[in-house]
Amino acid sequence: MWFFARDPVRDFPFELSPELPEGGPPGPWVLHRGRKKATGSPVSIFVYDVKPGVEEQTQVAKAAFKRLKTLRHPNILAYIDGLETDRCLHIVTEAVTPLGAYLKARAEAGDLRELELSWGLHQIVKALSFLVNDCSLIHNNVCMAAVFVDRAGEWKLGGLDYMYSAQGNGGGPPRKGIPELEQYDPPELADGSGRAAREKWSADMWRLGCLIWEVFNGPLPRAAALRNPGKIPKSLVPHYCELVGANPKVRPNPARFLQNCRAPGGFMNNRFVETNLFLEEIQIKEPAEKQKFFQELSKSLDSFPEDFCRHKVLPQLLTAFEFGSAGAVVLTPLFKVGKFLGAAEYQRKIIPVVVKMFSSTDRAMRIRLLQQMEQFIQYLDEPTVNTQIFPHVVHGFLDTNPAIREQTVKSMLLLAPKLNETNLNVELMKHFARLQAKDEQGPIRCNTTVCLGKIGSYLSAGTRHRVLTSAFSRATKDPFAPSRVAGVLGFAATHNLYSMTDCAHKILPVLCSLTVDPERSVRDQAFKAIRSFLSKLESVSEDPTQLAEAEKDVHAASSPGMGGAAASWAGWAVTGVSSLTSKLIRAHPTAAPAETNVPQRPVPEGLPAPAPTPVPATPTTSDHWETQEESKDAEEDSTAADRWDDEDWGSLEQEAESVLAQQDNWSTGGQASWAGQTSNPGHKSQESDWSSWEAEDAWEQGWQEPSPPEPPPEGTRLASEYNWGGPEPSDKGDPFAALSVRREAGAQPRRDSWGDDNWEGLEAESRQAKAELARKKREERRREMEAKRAEKKTAKGPMKLGTRKLD
């Protein structure tokens, strides 16, 4: 029976890459790229081929194999595995690049910075300090060829071939026999003088001086070149001169050299070195120190090398969130580092953390996630958004903090394209209906309308038909002027989603009522929208064959493209409105915002006057509202990420509870009073879906039975009597600003060119009747509940605290 010997090289769990060798230190070792067979992870493999007649060199290689296997230090090349046979030696280490090749590539790319050189030299000196002071070992081979760089830009000390004990246990230093390495020997070794007068670290510190010269000036041609510092930074020159001094006694200990360079104004006293030192000791730092560090880290990341951010900072950020108490402060640097990652790596490393963050109850965490959603939304898939993110995000609609409600609304612009049918057309619409009708903050109601106009193209055809007209019509009756503007712009932005019948019967009557709005900005937008809808109707009237083309999107499925075209057509200005809530909150962070009188819609005579609505200190109802707000908010949004920690969240909660909410009774169609009501849930309408708006508006009822119109107050001129843009300027002010009350109900009918139809009377009467009926139903329900409570109390008798029923 024959037995075949197994080949240990073939069974080795690592394999060499087919690429050419990278090169390496001068000597017997050759550096190759490699990978682990099981996982494919990259490694570096140092290979030595045993040849006959070079036994001394083979013994040096085996000694280096043993030293690297037993020495463990963060700044010494990390040993992973090895193979020793009669034919070869293989040493597997972490994936590294020779320092010379690394510096050359960085210099050619123009990315080499003095900061990373300072930290690299710091690491090499620290490794020498460990060998000399802790292990009593002399490296005896410090040079450019003995230093390697890993993927994070960390410098590692290798080349342990000629290491020997400083205590003389293993004899003297081994003979090198390589001229390229002997040029780094100090002068006292060349002439054999002063051997007893030097310190044990003197020779290695001379070689460190040679390494510093080569890092800044390139390969060392001869020892005499060390006299000229060349490109060595001025802050490092005094310490460099100590290293290459002729007297070995004055060469400093590696620990003292580090201390000197870390002194104020020293070469290694910079933010990059401090950040690395903190990261090395982050596990033993106090929570307060970690919080401060992560808050300041984001400012410095722009000046740090990209590889360092990806491979050293990012793992520490992920660990701090996963196992520490860093909380929301890691978000800003985390997303900043995420920009350096590819799509696959981002999906693998950051998305799981983001998904977990959305389930946090920390308000600071939630608002930062919402405001920075733009940076990671493209990496989220639809199942993750619908099942793990959206259920947590919707809680923000019910938050008592106005800032969180605002950011939740704005985040829907990014989430809507990824929401499924139920979440988008049912759940989201319920929250939007409640916010637009019941939120006490006018800017949030305005933002809700703006967001609905933006995402209208993503809704299903049935939801669009049921929601859009009713929602924008309700917005046009809002006491907050920007909300009325948003309602008009909402109609304009979604103009292609309405049938011609809806344009004529539902939209134009609403827009026409805004032509007499007290606010100039509302009237201007209303006239623009009216002209657009009229031109559309006129073109179809002249050529009925265009009807199919005009209504092609009405019953079409949701399409992202429609929203973009409509938005550009309408001049959709979201920026000016989007941060009004933030202004309202930040104006008085510790007290309720001051209330100023906003021009209200006209109310019938005899009803209480509208209550003042809280608005930002800056007027938002001027003629240049959109352009002014757009320019201001662009600056605010650019620095929003730096103001998270300045927010007084506790005072915002108190403010939200103390502000009197102006209850908008939409069931009266804008003719009932908005005054005298607070944000008491018992007085709010219970309607929470969009279908109720259509029933409340009852557009057709006011047109079926004509009745004589009501006359205007005395002195009011007809619209046809004004100069609407003629050559002669009018000597009177804005005619609409004087309209403070509606027509008196009992005045005599007056006929004009519009005919005999009463366009408001029946509609107002119908709405008032509905409001009275709803009030009676609530009263009956209250009496029934009180009767049931009294009956239960009488049957059971008074309950006693502390009693227990015995078996």
Side-chain angles (χ1 to χ4, degrees):
M1 182 178 293
W2 295 90
F3 294 94
F4 295 94
R6 300 179 62 183
D7 186 358
V9 176
R10 182 179 301 174
D11 296 337
F12 196 51
F14 299 88
E15 63 179 359
L16 298 178
S17 172
E19 299 179 13
L20 294 175
E22 294 182 352
W29 294 99
V30 179
L31 176 61
H32 293 263
R33 289 191 181 97
R35 68 181 184 88
K36 190 173 183 179
K37 294 178 180 179
T39 61
S41 56
V43 295
S44 290
I45 303 178
F46 292 82
V47 179
Y48 172 77
D49 293 325
V50 178
K51 299 177 181 178
V54 288
E55 286 78 9
E56 183 179 0
Q57 196 176 53
T58 302
Q59 293 301 320
V60 169
K62 290 183 178 181
F65 185 101
K66 181 180 178 180
R67 291 289 189 186
L68 193 61
K69 187 176 182 179
T70 55
L71 282 174
R72 298 287 182 176
H73 190 269
N75 304 125
I76 294 179
L77 196 61
Y79 173 89
I80 297 179
D81 201 350
L83 174 67
E84 183 176 357
T85 67
D86 296 337
R87 295 179 298 169
C88 65
L89 293 176
H90 285 192
I91 299 179
V92 181
T93 69
E94 57 186 321
V96 292
T97 303
L99 178 60
Y102 175 81
L103 294 179
K104 181 180 179 181
R106 298 283 289 176
E108 291 176 353
D111 294 334
L112 187 60
R113 305 175 188 177
E114 193 173 289
L115 287 178
E116 53 185 313
L117 295 180
S118 66
W119 174 241
L121 291 173
H122 184 284
Q123 292 175 297
I124 299 303
V125 177
K126 199 171 182 180
L128 288 177
S129 177
F130 166 74
L131 293 175
V132 171
N133 299 320
D134 298 337
C135 304
S136 295
L137 293 173
I138 306 300
H139 188 275
N140 196 34
N141 191 27
V142 180
C143 61
M144 180 82 76
V147 180
F148 303 90
V149 184
D150 68 5
R151 61 177 186 172
E154 305 277 277
W155 291 18
K156 308 285 184 175
L157 184 60
L160 309 183
D161 305 59
Y162 308 103
M163 183 178 290
Y164 66 97
S165 174
Q167 299 173 349
N169 296 336
R175 188 177 66 85
K176 298 179 182 178
I178 302 176
E180 291 87 347
L181 298 179
E182 291 179 350
Q183 69 173 341
Y184 298 106
D185 291 339
E188 61 267 20
L189 293 183
D191 55 16
S193 62
R195 296 182 62 88
R198 70 175 189 269
E199 302 289 349
K200 59 181 179 180
W201 56 79
S202 296
D204 276 349
M205 296 308 287
W206 168 277
R207 298 184 181 98
L208 176 64
C210 298
L211 173 64
I212 292 175
W213 194 95
E214 287 188 317
V215 165
F216 291 98
N217 298 295
L220 181 66
R222 56 189 180 278
L226 296 173
R227 299 176 182 176
N228 180 18
K231 299 179 181 178
I232 298 176
K234 292 182 179 180
S235 58
L236 184 59
V237 168
H239 310 296
Y240 161 78
C241 292
E242 291 180 352
L243 299 179
V244 295
N247 185 0
K249 292 286 290 183
V250 300
R251 295 172 195 160
N253 184 286
R256 180 168 161 264
F257 178 81
L258 277 181
Q259 185 178 358
N260 294 339
C261 291
R262 290 279 295 138
F267 177 67
M268 298 180 184
N269 184 20
N270 55 62
R271 177 63 179 167
F272 188 58
V273 173
E274 292 173 359
T275 299
N276 279 278
L277 293 176
F278 190 96
L279 290 175
E280 288 183 351
E281 303 174 352
I282 193 171
Q283 302 300 333
I284 60 175
K285 297 293 185 179
E286 295 294 329
E289 294 178 302
K290 294 181 183 179
Q291 290 277 338
K292 182 179 179 182
F293 171 75
F294 287 124
Q295 288 174 357
E296 299 175 352
L297 178 61
S298 181
K299 305 175 184 176
S300 307
L301 288 177
D302 292 333
S303 61
F304 290 172
E306 179 179 328
D307 291 338
F308 168 78
C309 295
R310 290 176 55 194
H311 301 294
K312 189 166 184 180
V313 175
L314 179 59
Q316 293 293 345
L317 291 174
L318 298 178
T319 302
F321 172 76
E322 191 73 21
F323 304 105
S325 56
V329 294
V330 304
L331 282 177
T332 301
L334 179 65
F335 292 136
K336 209 164 190 177
V337 175
K339 296 178 181 178
F340 301 132
L341 305 180
E345 191 176 5
Y346 197 105
Q347 188 78 26
R348 185 176 68 255
K349 292 183 176 180
I350 295 185
I351 290 303
V353 177
V354 170
V355 172
K356 187 175 181 180
M357 287 178 178
F358 270 105
S359 61
S360 172
T361 56
D362 182 10
R363 275 182 165 174
M365 175 88 70
R366 287 163 55 194
I367 197 167
R368 290 189 183 194
L369 281 171
L370 293 174
Q371 295 215 349
Q372 302 188 49
M373 187 178 291
E374 234 177 316
Q375 302 186 32
F376 57 84
I377 186 64
Q378 65 269 27
Y379 301 105
L380 296 174
D381 54 20
E382 294 186 9
T384 302
V385 171
N386 286 282
T387 59
Q388 302 182 55
I389 293 181
F390 182 76
H392 297 294
V393 172
V394 293
H395 293 313
F397 290 123
L398 306 174
D399 202 286
T400 57
N401 190 328
I404 293 183
R405 296 202 304 275
E406 178 197 25
Q407 291 303 325
T408 305
V409 171
K410 292 165 65 176
S411 68
M412 292 302 112
L413 293 175
L414 301 172
L415 291 178
K418 297 178 181 288
L419 294 180
N420 57 30
E421 180 78 12
T422 303
N423 287 337
L424 178 61
N425 294 286
V426 180
E427 293 298 325
L428 182 58
M429 293 302 103
K430 287 181 180 179
H431 289 288
F432 272 19
R434 187 189 58 79
L435 285 176
Q436 196 192 43
K438 301 179 182 180
D439 198 283
E440 69 272 11
Q441 298 288 345
I444 292 182
R445 299 195 301 271
C446 178
N447 283 340
T448 304
T449 304
V450 170
C451 184
L452 183 60
K454 282 285 200 177
I455 68 174
S457 59
Y458 298 106
L459 301 175
S460 64
T463 303
R464 292 198 302 260
H465 178 72
R466 188 178 71 254
V467 168
L468 295 184
T469 304
S470 300
F472 296 143
S473 297
R474 169 171 286 182
T476 61
K477 304 168 188 174
D478 197 296
F480 191 57
S483 292
R484 302 199 293 275
V485 174
V488 177
L489 292 177
F491 278 128
T494 56
H495 68 102
N496 58 320
L497 304 179
Y498 308 112
S499 65
M500 295 297 103
T501 302
D502 286 345
C503 292
H505 290 178
K506 294 183 178 180
I507 299 176
L508 279 176
V510 176
L511 295 176
C512 288
S513 66
L514 295 177
T515 58
V516 292
D517 193 274
E519 289 299 322
R520 174 69 178 271
S521 59
V522 179
R523 299 196 302 271
D524 289 346
Q525 295 297 339
F527 281 120
K528 292 179 183 178
I530 289 172
R531 284 193 290 268
S532 174
F533 279 104
L534 285 177
S535 64
K536 189 174 181 179
L537 290 170
E538 186 177 1
S539 62
V540 173
S541 176
E542 293 177 354
D543 185 4
T545 59
Q546 297 183 9
L547 180 61
E549 177 66 20
E551 295 184 350
K552 65 178 181 178
D553 296 331
V554 175
H555 302 290
S558 59
S559 171
M562 297 189 298
S568 61
W569 173 88
W572 194 243
V574 179
T575 311
V577 186
S578 60
S579 60
L580 288 176
T581 309
S582 302
K583 293 182 179 180
L584 176 61
I585 295 168
R586 294 173 184 141
H588 303 282
T590 58
E595 296 185 355
T596 57
N597 291 330
V598 176
Q600 306 293 327
R601 304 294 304 277
V603 297
E605 202 172 64
L607 293 178
T613 304
V615 295
T618 304
T620 58
T621 58
S622 64
D623 293 345
H624 302 285
W625 172 74
E626 285 185 19
T627 56
Q628 291 175 352
E629 292 299 334
E630 226 175 324
S631 60
K632 293 177 182 177
D633 294 324
E635 299 175 0
E636 285 191 11
D637 293 340
S638 64
T639 59
D642 301 330
R643 296 201 301 262
W644 309 130
D645 302 309
D646 300 333
E647 298 287 358
D648 185 3
W649 302 112
S651 62
L652 286 176
E653 295 177 22
Q654 297 170 6
E655 175 186 344
E657 295 174 358
S658 61
V659 174
L660 294 178
Q662 307 301 322
Q663 175 63 27
D664 301 333
N665 187 0
W666 296 105
S667 60
T668 59
Q671 299 179 17
S673 170
W674 295 309
Q677 297 185 16
T678 62
S679 57
N680 184 356
H683 292 87
K684 290 188 177 182
S685 173
Q686 301 299 319
E687 296 148 358
S688 61
D689 55 27
W690 297 94
S691 59
S692 62
W693 296 355
E694 294 183 343
E696 291 172 1
D697 290 342
W699 297 101
E700 295 84 358
Q701 294 180 9
W703 297 345
Q704 292 174 353
E705 299 180 7
S707 60
E710 299 175 357
E714 185 177 355
T716 303
R717 299 169 60 189
L718 296 178
S720 58
E721 299 177 11
Y722 291 105
N723 182 7
W724 296 94
E728 297 182 2
S730 175
D731 57 350
K732 296 184 179 181
D734 189 347
F736 302 113
L739 296 179
S740 59
V741 295
R742 292 187 177 232
R743 301 177 178 89
E744 298 178 0
Q748 294 296 327
R750 179 180 182 274
R751 297 183 178 273
D752 53 28
S753 58
W754 293 100
D756 300 333
D757 294 337
N758 180 6
W759 301 90
E760 297 179 357
L762 291 180
E763 184 179 358
E765 182 179 352
S766 173
R767 291 172 179 170
Q768 292 172 359
K770 288 187 177 183
E772 182 65 22
L773 180 59
R775 186 189 64 77
K776 290 179 179 180
K777 287 183 178 180
R778 288 195 297 270
E779 186 66 23
E780 291 176 2
R781 178 63 177 168
R782 185 183 62 79
R783 287 197 295 267
E784 289 177 3
M785 295 300 295
E786 290 178 355
K788 289 182 179 179
R789 293 192 191 101
E791 183 179 355
K792 290 181 180 180
K793 186 175 181 181
T794 305
K796 295 182 179 181
M799 298 181 65
K800 296 181 180 180
L801 296 176
T803 60
R804 180 179 178 184
K805 183 178 178 181
L806 300 176
D807 296 335

